Amino acid sequence: MYPRYVLPHHRPLPDARPALDRLPAEILLEVANHLTSRSHILHLSQVSSSIHAKVVPALYADVELYGAEQSERTLGMLLRRPDVARHIRRLSVYPEHEMSSRPREQTRAWDNAGVVSRCVMKVAPYLDALSHFEWDGEDMLPDDRMWAELRARCPRLQHVGTTFGCFLPRPTSSLFKFTDLLGFSLSLKDGFYAHSLHLPSRGGSDASKSDLVLGLADQESESEPVFTRLWDMLTLHCPNLESLRIAGNLSEPSDATRLYLANWPNLRHLTLGALVWTATVPGQAHTTSDFKDFLERHPTIESLHLLGRPSTNQVDLSTVSPDALPNLKEFTGSFGLLRMLVDRVHPDDSAAAGQPQVQNPTQNQQSSSAPTTPLSKTLQRVCFPHVMQLRDLTPLAISRVLLGLHALTSIKVTFAIQGGYDSNGVFRTLVASCPHLLDMDITCINQPSFFLDAFANSLRGLSRLRTLSLALVRMPGDEPMHIGASRIALANPRLKSFSIAFIPAQGSSDMPSPPIEEGTFDLTCDSHGIPVCLDVSQRYVVLWPWQRRTGAGASLGAGAGVAEWFASVASALGVEGPLILLENSVGVSGVRSGLGDPAMWRALAAFYWGWSTSRQWRYDLRPSGHPDVEQKGLFELLTERSPAGEEARLMMFCLCLLLLTVWALLSKAARGA
């Protein structure tokens, strides 16, 4: 027999992998889901191949595709990698929104929708987890087989979004065959309005007019069956609809009689553009349902967004029952609509108010300044999408409405500053009326509004504020942006992150211009809540001297003549299509097609328009003598990418010039002696 050997006991070798690689996939997914941006998730996935395989579900959970080139490339990759495609839960496709500035064949632009939709159709069998799909095209229609494949191959698809332009789908389209949808979105593009498809019907009898769908055309037109099928799908085959969005690019009203007749018991989110809010003819009895009846039948609505302009086709919400919208948490609309909702009163109260009664003047003033409505305890987020003219609204009117909203935690508002108006006083009114704000977004356009240090002092009243977004026209002589950001951080150390943008001054425009300087700031505090440093990410546009006007609001309207000069040169050279696309009148995005080197045209445009640059650094909020502040040497200060480093390099350059001047004077004196 062979001798029996007993192997000695050996301890298992320690795992040589890094600690992060040894974490289970569930924990890494939780970490990835708590990251705030996709770039952070991407950086986490690039640590190692094992981590990438574990965070793929979070990395590809939400996919947005812009342009035909990116869509074809990404969808082709998903077709080759079904193991990646099966993790996509939300897919948004923008086939005609090119993000790249490289030239592209113009003949392909007309077929972008068909090419991209056929790619989606091929990938549909592998989209097992897809629950949200949005198609945001312009005028061209996608291949109808895409909707058929998504409906048949994606069992979890419950939210669908699409667009209508100058071409409408057929009434037999597979788009109208979805059932049991929880969300539907329809965006009406410019081509839809250019072909007058939004106008109310002028034909048909009174009985047929009750069946109008968004006022799209006469009863004899080909569009009427299309929208009839659409509303039949939503009202008959989607009884559990929770989210509905119908909005367009213009503010011209459209008829929505079929919408007001619908009833969805679980409707929670409603977004509407400019519509004809009532179907009742003046002077006649109320015989049809209107928007007021629709709101009263849907007490489950939590977010209401009315995107029509306040100056046209204003809806009257003051007649809505005070018991309506008991669960409303988010509202988007004009200030007048919010005031109507807040001022709603019961019929008994309004009748009693008409009788002469002796009341205490102080009590009457308090009750009128802070009305108590069901919205006082439920409304948490308010957004005013249109510019508010301060000459029409006083701080007293704003305070009267906002004081009654005790649960308000988020507000977004845009002010148009008028000459001689105290804009800082309006901001102080907002702070006093909404002391419990957690998120605030304020934009002030047209003219310089206030200094950043005055804004920081007014911000001390919002002790619970967590996020802030500020866009304004820079005051002449104001301090640099990062200095103002440090004052804001020191005044409100509970801020987690905030952003500041300097926009150019403008005349009578209703929309804010793109920023010429913007920065994002992340605040870091110590264990005691004392601010330590700011992580700064700043981007600004370098302007030439002839572009600079008073303040930061350099009016770029003079660039129209230069743009016309570029267009004339392009036409002389035989360039087809637009020569140079200037991104929002600031910066250069390149050329799509034309003769010559695209880099040359970008350089020519940059010669006039300037160029944009960005930088990132950490700004220490502690004083220089603090024991925890790292003391930097002269070389580190000269090479530091911060304003302090720039000032040090400028001083060193001036010192060198001074030494050269002294040396020249001394050498000249020595030669003369």
Side-chain angles (χ1 to χ4, degrees), residues 83-100:
D83 57 321
V84 176
R86 61 187 296 267
H87 297 295
I88 297 179
R89 296 195 295 267
R90 183 187 296 267
L91 178 61
S92 303
V93 183
Y94 306 88
E96 296 166 344
H97 294 201
E98 291 285 351
M99 301 296 292
S100 175

Side-chain angles (χ1 to χ4, degrees), residues 113-132:
V115 171
V116 176
S117 59
R118 285 187 286 271
C119 293
V120 175
M121 178 188 65
K122 297 177 182 179
V123 181
Y126 307 108
L127 302 176
D128 302 332
L130 186 66
S131 61
H132 293 71

Side-chain angles (χ1 to χ4, degrees), residues 574-593:
V575 177
E576 299 180 358
L579 174 64
I580 295 178
L581 300 179
L582 298 177
E583 185 179 4
N584 295 326
S585 299
V586 177
V588 180
S589 61
V591 295
R592 287 179 178 266
S593 65

Side-chain angles (χ1 to χ4, degrees), residues 2-242:
Y2 293 100
R4 183 179 180 182
Y5 293 96
V6 179
L7 294 176
H9 177 71
H10 293 281
R11 296 181 178 179
L13 295 177
D15 195 347
R17 296 180 302 170
L20 192 60
D21 288 353
R22 296 195 300 268
L23 289 177
E26 293 79 6
I27 298 179
L28 282 176
L29 284 179
E30 289 293 331
V31 173
N33 291 332
H34 281 80
L35 296 178
T36 56
S37 65
R38 298 181 185 178
S39 61
H40 295 164
I41 301 178
L42 179 61
H43 293 161
L44 176 62
S45 65
Q46 294 174 345
V47 172
S48 65
S49 58
S50 61
I51 293 180
H52 181 271
K54 295 177 181 179
V55 300
V56 159
L59 187 61
Y60 288 92
D62 190 356
V63 177
E64 295 182 359
L65 304 178
Y66 293 89
E69 181 178 357
Q70 185 190 39
S71 301
E72 291 181 53
R73 184 172 61 252
T74 305
L75 293 173
M77 182 273 296
L78 296 176
L79 185 61
R80 297 188 302 269
R81 295 287 304 275
D83 57 321
V84 176
R86 61 187 296 267
H87 297 295
I88 297 179
R89 296 195 295 267
R90 183 187 296 267
L91 178 61
S92 303
V93 183
Y94 306 88
E96 296 166 344
H97 294 201
E98 291 285 351
M99 301 296 292
S100 175
S101 60
R102 290 180 295 179
R104 185 172 177 82
E105 300 177 4
Q106 294 295 324
T107 57
R108 292 287 306 278
W110 291 100
D111 197 31
N112 284 350
V115 171
V116 176
S117 59
R118 285 187 286 271
C119 293
V120 175
M121 178 188 65
K122 297 177 182 179
V123 181
Y126 307 108
L127 302 176
D128 302 332
L130 186 66
S131 61
H132 293 71
F133 178 78
E134 181 179 0
W135 176 271
D136 194 345
E138 290 297 331
D139 292 328
M140 305 308 295
L141 293 174
D143 196 322
D144 190 67
R145 292 176 295 176
M146 178 190 71
W147 300 114
E149 287 293 317
L150 290 174
R151 183 172 55 87
R153 302 302 184 107
C154 303
R156 300 184 181 181
L157 183 59
Q158 295 180 328
H159 297 263
V160 174
T162 186
T163 58
F164 284 175
C166 57
F167 298 101
L168 300 178
R170 299 189 305 271
T172 58
S173 173
S174 299
L175 173 63
F176 309 127
K177 297 180 181 179
F178 283 93
T179 58
D180 297 329
L181 289 178
L182 297 182
F184 184 79
S185 173
L186 175 61
S187 299
L188 307 177
K189 296 296 184 177
D190 294 336
F192 181 85
Y193 296 94
H195 286 68
S196 302
L197 299 177
H198 64 286
L199 296 179
S201 175
R202 298 183 179 91
S205 61
D206 295 338
S208 64
K209 288 184 180 181
S210 62
D211 296 331
L212 292 179
V213 186
L214 282 174
L216 299 167
D218 295 343
Q219 295 293 326
E220 294 80 5
S221 66
E222 61 181 359
S223 62
E224 188 271 335
V226 174
F227 291 92
T228 300
R229 292 294 307 274
L230 173 63
W231 284 112
D232 288 342
M233 178 191 70
L234 295 177
T235 56
L236 301 179
H237 302 292
C238 302
N240 300 320
L241 198 69
E242 297 180 359

Side-chain angles (χ1 to χ4, degrees), residues 622-641:
R622 296 168 295 187
S624 58
H626 195 276
D628 296 334
V629 176
E630 181 182 359
Q631 301 298 328
K632 299 180 180 180
L634 180 60
F635 179 76
E636 295 179 350
L637 182 60
L638 291 175
T639 57
E640 181 180 342
R641 296 186 60 184

Side-chain angles (χ1 to χ4, degrees), residues 342-353:
V342 172
D343 292 344
R344 291 176 298 167
V345 294
H346 288 274
D348 298 338
D349 298 339
S350 60

